[in-house]
C-alpha cells in the first residue's frame, strides 16, 4: 500500500483487527449484512503522513442511511462560538466572505449569519444558514467562486482528516481563497493520541492522523504555506492549523508561528515511538478486559460514540459484558452498536437501573458528564487516559 498523498511507501505500525463501520448503529435485521474490514495504520516513509492502510469503499460508507448526528455538547458549542468571535474580531473584514467545509448542523456557521457565508456539506440539513449540499472539491470550489467570489476565511473542524484525497482538498481551497485569505482547520493531533493512548480515535472516518511535519509537507506540495499552529483541548487534544497563499502574520489571535520548532521536536512520528505506542495499545486492551471481568454487579456503557466501536471490537467487549450503552441521541436509541451488537438505550433506563459501573465510552466529554451525573451512585470505568476506576 502506498501513501495517498505522495505515493511513498507506508510502514504499518498498528493493527486493530477486523472492524465494522464505526458510526453505523444498526437494527437486528441488519446484523447479517454488516461490513467488516482490517483496521491498520501506517506512516509514509517520504511525507510522514500517518494514515489508514485500508479504507471502506465509498458506496459502503456514504450509503442511503448514512447517519447525521447534530452536536449535543455544550462544550463544543462554546468552543465554536469563542473561535467565531476571534475570527470576527481579527480575520474577517465586515464585508468578508467565510466558507465552512463540513458545516454539519451549523453550530459554528450560525455565528456568521450577518456575514456573507456558505457551508459545504453533503449531509447538512439546516435552512438557518446558506449551505451547499455537496462534497467540497475543485468543482464545488470553482462554483462558489463564480457565484460569490473568493473567500477571506475557509474553516473546517474535524473534517479535513476525513478527506481521502487531501491534494484535491488543498487544491480546491487554493482556488477558493483570496490572496490574503486564511484556511483554518482543526483536527485531533497524533501527538495527543499517543500521549493519552486514545487509540479509539482510530476508525474508518479518520483517514489521516495529523502532525505538524506532515501538514507542512502536504500544504507545500499543493502550493500553500503553513502559517501557524495552535493547540486545543477538543477531542482529547487537537491542533488548529493556519494556512495561506503567502507568508504573513496571523493578526490578533496570539498564534505564534513556531512551525519549525514544532516539527523538529515531533517525536510522535519516530518509528521507535510508533512501535511502543502499538505495544501500549495492546496492553490497554489486556488491562481493560482483565478489569471488566473482575467486576461484579451490572456494567453498562456510557455514550455510543464512533470511537467506542474501535474499543469494543478491538477488546472484544460485547453484550455479555455491557448490558447496554446509554446515549442521548434519539437516532441511536433502539439500535445496536456496530460489530458487538450491544443495545443502545435512552438515558432514562440508566437512571432507573442505577448500574454498578459505567464504562465511559464518551471520555472526551468527561468534564461535562461528571458535572451532569452527580446522582450516579455507581463508578465510572475509564480507559483513556489509562485504565482505571474513577
Ligand atoms: P462524540 O463526542 O461526537 O464522539 P464520536 O466522535 O466518537 O462519535 O459523541 C458523543 C456521544 O456521546 C453522542 O452519541 C452523544 C453521547 N453523549 C451522551 O449520551 N451523554 C452526554 O452527556 C454526552 C456529553 C454525550
Ligand atoms: Zn506520503
Amino acid at each position: 500500500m502506498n501513501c495517498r498523498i505522495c505515493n511513498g511507501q507506508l510502514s504499518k505500525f498498528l493493527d486493530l483487527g477486523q472492524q465494522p463501520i464505526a458510526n453505523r448503529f444498526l437494527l437486528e435485521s441488519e446484523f447479517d449484512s454488516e461490513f467488516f474490514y482490517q483496521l491498520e495504520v501506517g506512516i509514509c516513509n517520504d511525507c510522514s503522513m500517518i494514515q489508514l492502510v485500508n479504507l471502506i469503499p465509498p458506496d459502503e460508507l456514504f450509503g442511503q442511511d448514512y447517519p447525521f448526528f447534530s452536536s449535543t455538547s455544550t462544550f463544543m458549542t462554546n468552543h465554536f462560538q469563542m473561535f467565531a468571535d476571534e475570527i470576527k474580531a481579527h480575520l474577517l473584514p465586515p464585508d468578508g466572505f467565510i466558507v465552512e467545509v463540513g458545516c454539519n448542523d451549523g453550530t459554528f456557521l450560525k455565528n456568521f449569519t450577518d456575514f456573507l457565508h456558505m457551508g459545504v456539506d453533503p449531509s447538512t440539513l439546516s435552512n438557518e444558514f446558506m449551505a451547499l449540499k455537496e462534497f467540497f472539491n475543485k468543482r464545488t470550489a470553482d462554483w462558489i467562486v463564480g457565484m460569490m467570489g473568493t473567500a477571506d476565511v475557509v474553516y473546517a473542524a474535524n473534517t479535513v482528516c476525513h478527506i481521502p484525497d487531501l491534494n484535491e482538498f488543498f487544491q480546491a481551497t487554493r482556488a477558493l481563497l483570496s490572496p490574503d485569505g486564511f484556511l483554518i482547520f482543526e483536527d485531533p493531533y497524533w501527538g495527543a493520541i499517543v500521549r493519552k493512548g486514545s487509540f479509539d480515535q482510530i476508525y474508518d472516518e479518520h483517514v489521516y492522523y495529523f502532525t505538524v511535519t506532515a501538514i507542512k509537507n502536504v500544504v507545500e506540495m499543493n502550493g500553500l504555506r503553513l502559517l501557524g499552529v495552535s493547540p486545543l483541548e477538543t477531542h482529547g487534544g487537537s491542533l488548529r492549523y493556519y494556512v495561506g497563499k503567502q507568508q504573513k502574520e496571523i493578526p490578533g489571535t496570539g498564534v505564534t508561528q513556531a512551525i519549525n520548532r514544532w516539527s523538529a521536536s515531533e517525536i510522535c512520528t519516530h518509528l521507535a515511538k510508533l512501535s511502543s505506542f502499538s505495544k501500549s495499545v495492546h496492553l490497554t486492551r489486556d488491562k481493560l478486559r482483565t478489569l471488566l471481568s473482575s467486576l461484579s454487579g451490572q456494567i453498562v456503557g456510557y455514550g455510543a460514540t464512533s470511537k467506542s466501536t474501535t474499543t469494543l471490537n478491538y477488546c472484544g467487549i460485547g453484550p455479555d459484558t455491557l448490558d447496554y450503552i446509554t446515549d442521548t441521541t434519539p437516532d441511536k436509541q433502539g439500535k445496536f452498536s456496530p460489530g458487538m451488537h450491544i443495545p443502545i438505550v435512552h438515558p432514562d433506563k440508566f437512571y432507573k437501573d442505577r448500574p454498578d459501573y459505567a464504562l465511559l465510552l464518551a471520555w472526551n466529554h468527561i468534564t461535562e458528564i461528571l458535572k451532569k451525573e452527580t446522582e450516579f451512585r455507581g463508578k465510572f470505568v475509564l480507559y483513556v487516559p489509562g485504565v482505571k476506576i474513577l
Side-chain angles (χ1 to χ4, degrees):
M1 170 69 208
N2 290 66
C3 172
R4 288 183 186 83
I5 293 167
C6 76
N7 209 33
Q9 277 294 315
L10 286 190
S11 299
K12 280 189 220 174
F13 62 87
L14 181 63
D15 184 348
L16 293 166
Q18 283 279 303
Q19 292 278 351
I21 299 175
N23 215 356
R24 181 67 58 82
F25 293 86
L26 67 181
L27 301 168
E28 205 166 341
S29 58
E30 296 167 314
F31 288 178
D32 289 344
S33 57
E34 197 171 12
F35 179 86
F36 286 85
Y37 71 105
Q38 196 73 17
L39 179 55
E40 295 173 297
V41 193
I43 183 165
C44 173
N45 297 344
D46 294 338
C47 75
S48 72
M49 183 65 85
I50 294 169
Q51 56 200 279
L52 294 186
V53 175
N54 308 301
L55 293 192
I56 293 176
D59 51 337
E60 288 283 349
L61 202 51
F62 296 103
Q64 283 277 306
D65 57 346
Y66 185 73
F68 172 85
F69 301 125
S70 59
S71 146
T72 48
S73 153
T74 48
F75 176 80
M76 287 307 283
T77 308
N78 293 342
H79 166 81
F80 287 129
Q81 196 189 332
M82 271 161 54
F83 191 52
D85 289 345
E86 202 171 301
I87 291 179
K88 285 190 250 190
H90 304 293
L91 303 175
L92 189 66
D95 59 349
F97 174 34
I98 181 163
V99 174
E100 186 185 11
V101 179
C103 58
N104 212 294
D105 60 348
T107 312
F108 172 78
L109 206 57
K110 276 181 209 158
N111 295 294
F112 292 92
T113 43
D114 293 341
F115 288 77
L116 192 58
H117 67 275
M118 171 72 85
V120 191
D121 192 327
S123 61
T124 189
L125 289 175
S126 179
N127 50 16
E128 288 171 70
F129 54 91
M130 293 253 290
L132 184 62
K133 208 168 164 16
E134 296 267 3
F135 283 102
F136 180 71
N137 52 32
K138 184 69 171 47
R139 185 182 61 79
T140 42
D142 287 342
W143 185 84
I144 296 171
V145 174
M147 290 289 285
M148 332 258 288
T150 55
D152 301 284
V153 174
V154 176
Y155 178 69
N158 303 310
T159 299
V160 182
C161 71
H162 294 225
I163 301 175
D165 192 346
L166 271 193
N167 292 323
E168 160 128 37
F169 170 80
F170 287 113
Q171 290 291 336
T173 318
R174 199 157 76 109
L176 179 56
L177 272 186
S178 70
D180 285 329
F182 291 102
L183 160 67
I184 307 165
F185 62 98
E186 57 191 68
D187 288 276
Y189 177 48
W190 175 253
I193 293 177
V194 171
R195 200 179 59 244
K196 291 205 161 183
S198 53
F199 66 91
D200 55 353
Q201 278 172 285
I202 300 168
Y203 58 89
D204 58 273
E205 289 173 37
H206 294 160
V207 181
Y208 297 103
Y209 302 86
F210 291 159
T211 59
V212 177
T213 314
I215 289 297
K216 186 169 186 296
N217 287 337
V218 64
V219 301
E220 286 176 3
M221 273 185 248
N222 288 286
L224 293 163
R225 284 172 179 205
L226 181 58
L227 304 175
V229 179
S230 73
L232 304 171
E233 274 179 36
T234 47
H235 290 278
S238 297
L239 282 186
R240 182 177 281 155
Y241 306 88
Y242 294 76
V243 172
K245 289 184 175 175
Q246 47 216 14
Q247 197 65 49
K248 61 185 290 224
E249 287 293 318
I250 304 153
T253 57
V255 173
T256 55
Q257 302 201 351
I259 309 290
N260 291 333
R261 215 171 56 228
W262 266 91
S263 42
S265 61
E266 241 171 0
I267 57 162
C268 57
T269 58
H270 295 183
L271 276 175
K273 190 80 188 165
L274 296 175
S275 96
S276 84
F277 170 69
S278 180
K279 282 195 196 108
S280 76
V281 172
H282 297 304
L283 210 65
T284 301
R285 171 179 62 182
D286 297 345
K287 274 192 187 160
L288 183 58
R289 284 159 62 125
T290 308
L291 175 66
L292 291 175
S293 62
S294 74
L295 300 177
S296 47
Q298 190 186 28
I299 317 174
V300 305
Y302 193 108
T305 52
S306 315
K307 299 186 271 300
S308 67
T309 297
T310 296
T311 309
L312 300 173
N313 286 276
Y314 173 64
C315 300
I317 299 169
D320 44 343
T321 307
L322 303 182
D323 278 6
Y324 53 80
I325 302 171
T326 169
D327 195 283
T328 51
T329 316
D331 279 347
K332 295 182 188 176
Q333 294 157 3
K335 292 189 176 161
F336 294 82
S337 75
M340 298 314 292
H341 304 160
I342 303 168
I344 316 296
V345 305
H346 188 282
D348 280 352
K349 180 159 172 58
F350 174 74
Y351 297 127
K352 192 165 142 276
D353 280 4
R354 297 175 155 263
D356 301 282
Y357 297 96
L359 177 62
L360 189 55
L361 300 165
W363 54 260
N364 52 318
H365 301 290
I366 185 166
T367 314
E368 186 169 344
I369 291 170
L370 293 183
K371 211 161 116 196
K372 190 168 98 179
E373 301 300 353
T374 48
E375 298 285 298
F376 179 48
R377 291 287 165 259
K379 291 193 162 76
F380 278 107
V381 178
L382 248 69
Y383 61 96
V384 173
V387 175
K388 59 175 170 266
I389 296 181
L390 263 196

